[in-house]
Amino acid sequence: MAEPILEMKQITKYFGTTVALKSVDFTVYPGEVRGLIGENGSGKSTISSIAAGMQKASGGEMFFHGKSWAPESMIDALGHGIGMIVQESGTIQGISVAENLFLGETKQFQNAFGLVNRKRMNEAADAALNAIGITDVRGAMPMAAIDFQTRKLVEIAKVVMKNPDILVVDETTTALSQDGRKILYDVVRQFKENGKSVIFISHDLDEVMEVCDELTVLRDGVMAATLSKKDFDADVVKQYMVGREIQGDYYRSDYDTPVSDEVVLELKDGCAADLNHLNLQLHKGEILGIGGLSHCGMHTLGKVLFGADALKQGTVMAGGTQVKDESTAMNLRIGYVSKDRDTESLNLNASIGDNIAIAGLDQFAVNRHLILRSKEKEYVNRQIENLSIKCFDGEQEVSQLSGGNKQKVVFGKWVGRNSDILILDCPTRGVDIGVKQFMYQMMYRMRMEGKSILLISEELSELIGMSDRLIIMKDGAISGEFARSRDLTDSKVIDYMI
């Protein structure tokens, strides 16, 4: 067997009194795609971020190419051979794509007078983007002009152009559509073919078993198992992840539960940047699934229905009232969960309590002016308990939570104020199977209570498993519509997306 490229021995990590990693041994070999999987808070992002220089271990030692490894920062680690694509946003909005790619490295493009030759920098950026198959984004573009999933592709290009020996992919595919994932999978394949290594972190078990050669399962900061490809088995991996057999339904098991004829939310002749004369109705007690490839318009649709994006033409109606802005939507008991959780759904600098309470002021404020702190605390604690949010208390900063618990906080904002309509854009992005099951069961309970859900997702299995009716979008319009059925499969749907 080849010598390991990375060895991590007895790695321990504390966050205050919380033990995130407990004496973990982790080894990666050249030419290997090593999967890391586990529930939120299991330690998988922590151990990979220590290897990539994002944070220091509290104990243990590391070796890279047989030499002691203790990078001072992510920049230091990337410069010496380990690059990481972080789970959330790793770009800066107020500058160009090229400036993001060469952040802190613009000296190479300076002339004799110290001025940056932007043409040369943009050309170098274009070459880096072309190298991994990105042709619709150019270096001169402002970062703010491109969407969330495309910004993630820029992050991939930024790391790959440094040609590291180990690429760490942390929950990156959850931000990507099908075509974006193809670009990433091609990068992973090229790394493997060139004898380089990939540490691949994902909550998508099917994806991990398809992409990876070896799979390490973490649970509660301890290594639960390492499996070779020949031993991959979904049920076995799930048991290692949660320490028990998953009980109850994952997706819905009913196929003939009726839906009301009452329309609670309607888009009439909607036109926007990527919506093309779209007509759509959501019924009372319905889970309506919306799917499609990137730029099909489904993410814009969610924002338009909540009043966050304006229509160029058409109207959004709910309960006989036109929805023109978020305030109107909230007054009509409509809630919205954005795909871009950390930027659009949460204030990471605020507490869990503040994030939950901000949408529920009318639930505990007196005459909309006086906030009763005792009532606010009671309101927040009720959401923490009902949603099983793992935290010290409501005063803890939301930035300290795992991805799944962050998403529960977002749900708490809207469930707490008893929303009748929920618009969910990729609600299970970056959460583990246990939290996914929790969210699916909660959606189903809400549906049975007569509430309505618009579920926008890039996961066909999720859409097919949860929707009463599934709409597929292409080029801003509806290209296919499917009723809930035991016989509905991915292959029947995909043709309407392409």
Side-chain angles (χ1 to χ4, degrees), residues 235-274:
D235 291 333
V236 171
V237 174
K238 288 176 185 177
Q239 280 192 258
Y240 277 126
M241 286 174 63
V242 300
R244 65 188 188 280
E245 188 175 349
I246 296 289
Q247 299 293 326
D249 292 330
Y250 190 59
Y251 297 125
R252 291 171 57 181
S253 58
D254 64 311
Y255 286 92
D256 53 5
T257 309
V259 172
S260 169
D261 291 332
E262 180 184 347
V263 175
V264 295
L265 184 66
E266 183 173 13
L267 174 62
K268 299 178 180 179
D269 195 32
C271 293
D274 50 5

Side-chain angles (χ1 to χ4, degrees), residues 336-356:
Y336 171 66
V337 174
S338 170
K339 175 183 177 180
D340 194 351
R341 178 182 62 220
D342 283 10
T343 301
E344 296 182 350
S345 289
L346 292 172
N347 181 346
L348 295 181
N349 296 318
S351 68
I352 295 166
D354 287 343
N355 272 279
I356 291 175

Side-chain angles (χ1 to χ4, degrees), residues 304-319:
V304 162
L305 292 174
F306 188 61
D309 275 6
L311 285 167
K312 295 179 180 178
Q313 178 180 319
T315 56
V316 177
M317 302 295 296

Side-chain angles (χ1 to χ4, degrees), residues 43-222:
K44 56 191 183 299
S45 291
T46 302
I47 193 165
S48 58
S49 64
I50 289 171
M54 182 184 293
Q55 56 187 325
K56 301 288 186 183
S58 303
E61 56 184 348
M62 297 186 291
F63 299 90
F64 182 53
H65 287 300
K67 297 180 180 179
S68 181
W69 178 250
E72 291 298 321
S73 64
M74 291 184 71
I75 295 174
D76 181 31
L78 180 57
H80 290 87
I82 299 182
M84 182 174 184
I85 305 164
V86 297
Q87 184 174 349
E88 295 302 334
S89 179
T91 57
I92 299 172
Q93 288 284 76
I95 57 178
S96 71
V97 169
E99 287 168 324
N100 268 277
L101 286 173
F102 297 105
L103 192 64
E105 300 179 336
T106 56
K107 284 187 177 180
Q108 61 185 298
F109 303 109
Q110 289 180 354
N111 60 24
F113 303 101
L115 300 175
V116 174
N117 185 325
R118 294 193 175 274
K119 181 180 178 182
R120 280 182 52 218
M121 184 171 67
N122 290 338
E123 289 173 348
D126 292 346
L129 295 165
N130 290 339
I132 65 168
I134 304 172
T135 57
D136 57 346
V137 178
R138 298 292 84 185
M141 290 182 178
M143 185 61 68
I146 62 178
D147 61 20
F148 181 66
Q149 83 111 9
T150 310
R151 295 199 299 270
K152 188 59 64 175
L153 293 176
V154 171
E155 292 178 43
I156 295 171
K158 181 175 181 176
V159 174
V160 171
M161 74 177 183
K162 291 294 186 179
N163 197 27
D165 294 328
I166 297 180
L167 175 67
V168 182
V169 179
D170 189 2
E171 291 292 350
T172 303
T173 53
T174 61
L176 302 177
S177 60
Q178 297 298 322
D179 44 356
R181 291 182 184 198
K182 182 181 182 302
I183 289 174
L184 178 59
Y185 295 153
D186 285 344
V187 168
V188 170
R189 177 180 49 77
Q190 290 167 11
F191 265 70
K192 181 177 177 179
E193 290 176 353
N194 292 330
K196 298 175 180 292
S197 306
V198 177
I199 299 173
F200 195 93
I201 303 171
S202 175
H203 284 305
D204 187 332
L205 185 51
D206 291 335
E207 176 183 57
V208 167
M209 293 194 297
E210 175 69 26
V211 172
C212 300
D213 307 309
E214 299 273 330
L215 180 57
T216 293
V217 186
L218 288 171
R219 185 176 71 245
D220 297 329
V222 176

Side-chain angles (χ1 to χ4, degrees), residues 415-482:
V415 173
R417 74 188 316 272
N418 197 27
S419 298
D420 291 323
I421 300 170
L422 277 183
I423 301 165
L424 308 178
D425 192 347
C426 299
T428 63
R429 185 180 74 82
V431 304
D432 62 60
I433 57 170
V435 176
K436 278 188 177 182
Q437 184 185 40
F438 177 91
M439 290 180 174
Y440 295 148
Q441 291 174 347
M442 183 173 68
M443 287 181 211
Y444 185 63
R445 285 196 304 272
M446 294 178 71
R447 179 209 183 279
M448 298 307 289
E449 292 168 1
K451 298 182 185 299
S452 307
I453 295 172
L454 189 93
L455 174 60
I456 302 167
S457 178
E458 290 158 358
E459 305 290 339
L460 281 179
S461 58
E462 179 173 83
L463 291 169
I464 292 170
M466 291 303 299
S467 302
D468 292 292
R469 184 164 52 103
L470 173 57
I471 287 175
I472 298 301
M473 291 181 60
K474 178 182 176 183
D475 298 328
I478 294 173
S479 60
E481 184 170 336
F482 305 86

Side-chain angles (χ1 to χ4, degrees), residues 269-442:
D269 195 32
C271 293
D274 50 5
L275 295 181
N276 185 17
H277 297 284
L278 186 66
N279 292 282
L280 176 144
Q281 292 181 333
L282 174 67
H283 296 87
K284 182 178 176 64
E286 179 182 36
I287 300 178
L288 174 59
I290 308 290
L293 299 178
S294 64
H295 311 303
C296 71
M298 61 183 180
H299 303 299
T300 299
L301 172 64
K303 292 183 177 183
V304 162
L305 292 174
F306 188 61
D309 275 6
L311 285 167
K312 295 179 180 178
Q313 178 180 319
T315 56
V316 177
M317 302 295 296
T321 300
Q322 186 173 351
V323 180
K324 292 184 176 181
D325 51 40
E326 298 100 316
S327 179
T328 303
M330 290 177 66
N331 288 336
L332 292 168
R333 295 203 176 279
I334 301 173
Y336 171 66
V337 174
S338 170
K339 175 183 177 180
D340 194 351
R341 178 182 62 220
D342 283 10
T343 301
E344 296 182 350
S345 289
L346 292 172
N347 181 346
L348 295 181
N349 296 318
S351 68
I352 295 166
D354 287 343
N355 272 279
I356 291 175
I358 190 66
L361 294 176
D362 58 345
Q363 304 294 303
F364 51 79
V366 178
N367 296 326
R368 297 181 178 269
H369 298 294
L370 177 63
I371 296 176
L372 300 178
R373 291 300 179 188
S374 60
K375 292 291 186 182
E376 178 184 3
K377 186 174 182 179
E378 179 183 322
Y379 175 86
V380 168
N381 288 340
R382 188 161 59 248
Q383 309 319 314
I384 291 174
E385 180 179 353
N386 290 343
L387 295 169
S388 301
I389 300 171
K390 294 180 181 177
C391 60
F392 301 130
D393 55 39
E395 298 301 315
Q396 184 178 356
E397 282 195 10
V398 76
S399 61
Q400 297 175 356
L401 299 182
S402 65
N405 284 298
K406 284 180 183 176
Q407 195 70 331
K408 286 183 178 182
V409 171
V410 178
F411 267 69
K413 288 170 59 175
W414 303 113
V415 173
R417 74 188 316 272
N418 197 27
S419 298
D420 291 323
I421 300 170
L422 277 183
I423 301 165
L424 308 178
D425 192 347
C426 299
T428 63
R429 185 180 74 82
V431 304
D432 62 60
I433 57 170
V435 176
K436 278 188 177 182
Q437 184 185 40
F438 177 91
M439 290 180 174
Y440 295 148
Q441 291 174 347
M442 183 173 68

